[in-house]
Amino acid sequence: MAEILRDPAAISSVWAQHFDIVEDLFAGEIESAASKMENHIRQSYDAVIRVIETSETDRIKV
C-alpha cells in the first residue's frame, strides 16, 4: 500500500473513499457504507496486485 500511496492522486482518492464510508456510517446508511467498503477493499487489493506484478516484471528484466 505504501507504494500505491506515493501517488498524490491515489492519496486523495483513498481519503475521499474513507470520508464517504464514514459519512454513511454516521448517517446510519449501513448498507451503503458496507457496499463502499467492499468496493474500496477490492480496488485496493487490485492496486496492490498490480504493483506486485509490475515489481516482479521489473526484477525479471534486470
Side-chain angles (χ1 to χ4, degrees):
M1 279 310 293
E3 191 65 33
I4 293 162
L5 293 175
R6 289 179 194 230
D7 177 6
I11 293 171
S12 61
S13 174
V14 167
W15 282 114
Q17 291 172 19
H18 287 195
F19 182 82
D20 288 345
I21 292 165
V22 170
E23 273 198 323
D24 281 355
L25 290 171
F26 282 133
E29 300 292 334
I30 304 306
E31 290 181 23
S32 178
S35 176
K36 289 177 183 178
M37 282 187 258
E38 184 177 342
N39 288 333
H40 175 71
I41 292 166
R42 286 182 185 186
Q43 290 172 1
S44 298
Y45 174 82
D46 291 344
V48 169
I49 295 302
R50 280 193 304 275
V51 167
I52 291 169
E53 289 174 347
T54 301
S55 297
E56 289 174 356
T57 303
D58 289 346
R59 281 187 288 223
I60 292 169
K61 290 180 184 176
V62 173

